[in-house]
Amino acid sequence: MSFASCLLSEEQFQCSICLDVFTDPVTIPCGHNFCKNCLTKHWDVNERCECPICKDVIKKRPYLRVNTFISEMASQFRHSAVKKNSSHSVQVSSSSGEVMCDVCSETKLKALKSCLTCLASYCDTHLEFHQKMTGLTKHELIDPVENLKDRICKIHDRPLELFCKTDQRCVCISCTELEHKLHCIVPLIEQHEGKTAELRETVADIQKMIKVRNMKIQEMKQSVKISREDADQERSASVQVFTALIRSVEEGLAQLLDLIEVKHKKTEKKAEGFIKELEDEISELMKRGDEVEQLLLTKGHLQFLQNFPSLGPAPPTKDWTEVKVHSSYEGTVRSAVAQLQKTVREEIKKHIEPILERVQQFAVDVTLDPDTAYPSLSVSNDKKRVFYDTRQDLPDSPERFSQTGCVFGKESFSAGKCYFEVQVKDKSKWELGVAPGSINRKKRVTPNQQTGPWVLALRNGNEYKALGVSGTLSLKSKPQKVGVFVDYEEGLISFYDADTAALIYSFTGCNFTDKLFPIFGPCANDLGDNSAPLVITPV
């Protein structure tokens, strides 16, 4: 058969209607051969049955049977021709990058279109003939493509024009009647449109994600820029503060050393006076001793007694038993340190006030969220005040605290810095801070320095505590308004006395992984002693 295929030309196996190698060839009485489908369509659109080539009229439309011999010959030739064209196509495309006409026998011209039905590419001349042939006008034409053999079913030698969604593969019409009979089959164009739509959505999603990430990059770059500006500002302020403190310490040390030197000089002068006085007395005593020894050398009792009156009276002397020279430096260092503490405190206060001013620039407008309020808490209509009241019959929604007397702020923080102030005057106890949004609101809230909430509290009218931290805080004055500052990236929560600008306490090294919400606890009113509300005030 391979020998025969070498002797026979393409025109001998070509349907004169579709200009392609026979598919299911049939022979009519005049002896001409055509594709069964091509001839059927030709006769369907014409009034009489005649041969498309010799125009011989057939009075009665015959029942068309496939000529098995020609069909086998055409199949063999098709495989041979496809292999040959494939090899030629590869050569052409590799050399010129163009798809050539499959019909041109000698000089191959550039193809304008490829027919998905005929599985052939046509130049301008052959395309015009193809489009004029009856029965070929409905063939699907596309821009020229290579490897049309890949569009033929390798099992049935028929075009792959359907898609099996069950097996996710392209199939021909014969496949749907056999191996894929009960499978979900759709036209290729329908599957193509569906997958194309999916890919367009994928591309849109990818572009959206790229846009979001580009925005996040810009946000991070801006954060780095702000961080650099803040770092420079903090560095400058730190150098200024510590330079002032070092200067104060050095001045205090110099004053202390001068004071010690003055005391030492005074002691030295006093000792020198005593020493001079002692030396004078020693000189007089030595003179007296010489006189006494001279008298003792007198011989004879008479002469001794006669000379004795000449011995003058003893010089006056001082009782030096209780006289001591010492300098007391006790209290000198303590006094100097106390003065230094006062100076340092004044310097710190002088520089802390600007620090509070800097954090106040991150002020946000905070309101209360009534949907989270414990049933015994009453929230004002403007959502700025909360106080302890009689228990209300409220729905136990997932957002509401049911075991802890507190309420969340409406606004949350998940990045950057924020600051707000709360009036706490006329209260004997309260709780104030921030908490993660994921906190269990149906159980008793227990503050934790690592996982939150991070809360400052007042107890018994004068005991200030950072809940979750042992011990009480020492404050010089009772805050009437408390400022709360949060730096999310730094893991920092600081509480300030908003009136004196004094730092009350800071939680540092916190691990924030969730949105943070302001949390307010006015505490029980204690029969009216603690009835004042917590009030969110403008900064």
Side-chain angles (χ1 to χ4, degrees):
M1 183 61 69
S2 61
F3 174 74
S5 64
C6 293
L7 297 177
L8 297 174
S9 66
E10 181 178 358
E11 286 76 9
Q12 291 175 291
F13 293 99
Q14 191 176 66
C15 173
S16 58
I17 297 177
C18 66
L19 302 180
D20 195 5
V21 178
F22 291 125
T23 300
D24 296 336
V26 295
T27 305
I28 60 177
C30 65
H32 290 115
N33 300 299
F34 305 93
C35 295
K36 181 179 180 181
N37 189 47
C38 294
L39 185 61
T40 300
K41 289 182 178 179
H42 178 74
W43 282 349
D44 288 341
V45 297
N46 288 278
E47 295 181 356
R48 56 182 181 175
C49 295
E50 65 178 11
C51 176
I53 298 176
C54 66
K55 305 300 180 181
D56 186 21
V57 178
I58 303 172
K59 293 182 179 180
K60 184 179 180 181
R61 185 169 179 171
Y63 178 77
L64 301 176
R65 295 179 181 274
V66 176
N67 188 321
T68 56
F69 176 75
I70 298 177
S71 177
E72 291 177 4
M73 292 289 289
S75 178
Q76 291 293 329
F77 184 83
R78 184 192 298 277
H79 285 295
S80 176
V82 167
K83 184 175 181 181
K84 179 180 178 182
N85 289 338
S86 174
S87 174
H88 178 69
S89 176
V90 170
Q91 293 175 359
V92 170
S93 62
S94 63
S95 60
S96 65
E98 297 178 346
V99 178
M100 311 310 289
C101 177
D102 292 325
V103 182
C104 294
S105 56
E106 296 181 359
T107 303
K108 292 287 187 180
L109 300 178
K110 178 182 176 181
L112 293 182
K113 293 289 181 180
S114 293
C115 178
L116 294 180
T117 306
C118 302
L119 293 176
S121 298
Y122 301 107
C123 64
D124 188 19
T125 302
H126 290 100
L127 178 63
E128 183 179 358
F129 181 75
H130 178 279
Q131 291 175 322
K132 288 182 178 179
M133 285 294 296
T134 304
L136 305 184
T137 56
K138 294 184 179 180
H139 286 194
E140 184 178 357
L141 299 175
I142 62 173
D143 290 334
V145 293
E146 301 177 8
N147 301 325
L148 286 171
K149 63 169 186 169
D150 293 338
R151 299 174 180 272
I152 300 175
C153 177
K154 292 181 174 57
I155 301 174
H156 306 106
D157 289 328
R158 303 192 71 173
L160 297 171
E161 53 190 3
L162 300 171
F163 186 82
C164 175
K165 300 184 74 171
T166 304
D167 291 341
Q168 291 292 301
R169 58 180 295 185
C170 299
V171 296
C172 68
I173 188 68
S174 297
C175 292
T176 63
E177 298 170 354
L178 299 172
E179 297 93 336
H180 303 268
K181 186 174 183 180
L182 301 178
H183 293 181
C184 178
I185 307 295
V186 295
L188 277 181
I189 187 171
E190 180 181 325
Q191 182 68 12
H192 174 265
E193 290 175 351
K195 290 299 181 183
T196 301
E198 289 181 10
L199 291 178
R200 286 197 184 99
E201 290 181 2
T202 301
V203 170
D205 291 341
I206 290 173
Q207 293 300 324
K208 185 177 179 180
M209 289 189 288
I210 291 174
K211 183 178 180 181
V212 169
R213 280 152 181 75
N214 280 330
M215 291 176 63
K216 182 57 71 174
I217 288 173
Q218 295 304 317
E219 178 185 324
M220 288 182 176
K221 287 182 177 179
Q222 184 64 19
S223 297
V224 171
K225 180 181 177 183
I226 294 174
S227 175
R228 169 52 59 193
E229 292 173 354
D230 289 346
D232 291 341
Q233 190 175 13
E234 287 298 321
R235 187 181 295 108
S236 175
S238 299
V239 170
Q240 185 179 358
V241 171
F242 279 88
T243 300
L245 293 179
I246 292 171
R247 184 171 60 250
S248 298
V249 171
E250 289 176 344
E251 290 175 355
L253 177 60
Q255 292 174 2
L256 177 60
L257 294 178
D258 288 343
L259 178 61
I260 293 173
E261 185 63 22
V262 167
K263 284 192 173 184
H264 169 69
K265 291 292 185 181
K266 185 177 180 180
T267 301
E268 187 178 41
K269 186 176 181 180
K270 184 177 181 180
E272 288 175 353
F274 286 150
I275 291 171
K276 180 67 171 60
E277 191 175 348
L278 286 168
E279 287 177 345
D280 290 343
E281 287 191 6
I282 289 172
S283 178
E284 291 295 326
L285 289 173
M286 289 178 68
K287 184 187 292 186
R288 175 72 173 174
D290 289 340
E291 292 176 354
V292 171
E293 287 181 357
Q294 191 65 32
L295 181 61
L296 289 174
L297 293 176
T298 303
K299 295 181 180 180
H301 302 294
L302 177 63
Q303 188 178 1
F304 174 82
L305 293 175
Q306 288 176 341
N307 293 337
F308 186 81
S310 63
L311 183 66
T317 56
K318 185 176 180 179
D319 184 4
W320 293 94
T321 305
E322 301 297 331
V323 177
K324 295 180 180 180
V325 177
H326 70 280
S327 61
S328 175
Y329 299 101
E330 184 179 355
T332 304
V333 175
R334 186 182 300 109
S335 176
V337 170
Q339 181 60 40
L340 179 61
Q341 285 180 330
K342 181 180 178 182
T343 304
V344 169
R345 195 177 297 115
E346 290 175 353
E347 287 290 337
I348 292 175
K349 183 179 179 181
K350 186 191 304 181
H351 291 91
I352 278 185
E353 288 181 358
I355 291 176
L356 180 60
E357 290 177 2
R358 286 203 298 273
V359 301
Q360 284 177 331
Q361 68 180 328
F362 299 104
V364 294
D365 184 19
V366 173
T367 57
L368 300 169
D369 185 359
D371 293 336
T372 66
Y374 181 68
S376 295
L377 298 185
S378 180
V379 176
S380 63
N381 292 333
D382 63 358
K383 298 179 178 59
K384 292 290 186 179
R385 298 167 174 262
V386 60
F387 59 92
Y388 210 89
D389 201 353
T390 56
R391 190 176 182 87
Q392 306 169 70
D393 186 14
L394 298 173
D396 188 19
S397 62
E399 295 79 15
R400 190 177 303 281
F401 287 95
S402 59
Q403 297 295 322
T404 305
C406 58
V407 58
F408 263 172
K410 189 75 173 178
E411 293 70 26
S412 63
F413 320 119
S414 57
K417 304 177 180 67
C418 59
Y419 176 83
F420 60 94
E421 292 180 352
V422 181
Q423 178 180 295
V424 295
K425 70 177 183 178
D426 300 329
K427 294 190 68 63
S428 58
K429 56 184 178 180
W430 47 260
E431 296 176 352
L432 177 64
V434 294
S438 59
I439 192 171
N440 190 335
R441 308 179 194 187
K442 302 306 175 185
K443 292 184 178 180
R444 186 72 182 173
V445 176
T446 303
N448 184 292
Q449 194 170 3
Q450 297 300 319
T451 60
W454 297 271
V455 175
L456 181 71
L458 171 64
R459 296 286 186 266
N460 303 319
N462 58 3
E463 295 179 7
Y464 292 91
K465 295 183 177 182
L467 298 186
V469 180
S470 60
T472 58
L473 305 176
S474 177
L475 276 65
K476 284 201 165 185
S477 60
K478 184 175 182 178
Q480 302 298 299
K481 187 189 298 181
V482 175
V484 183
F485 174 68
V486 179
D487 187 334
Y488 197 94
E489 283 73 20
E490 191 69 22
L492 171 70
I493 302 172
S494 296
F495 298 88
Y496 293 90
D497 184 331
D499 294 321
T500 65
L503 176 65
I504 300 174
Y505 186 79
S506 289
F507 290 98
T508 58
C510 303
N511 183 24
F512 301 145
T513 58
D514 194 5
K515 288 183 178 180
L516 299 180
F517 289 82
I519 188 170
F520 307 84
C523 298
N525 58 23
D526 290 346
L527 301 177
D529 291 340
N530 191 44
S531 60
L534 288 178
V535 183
I536 302 172
T537 59
V539 178

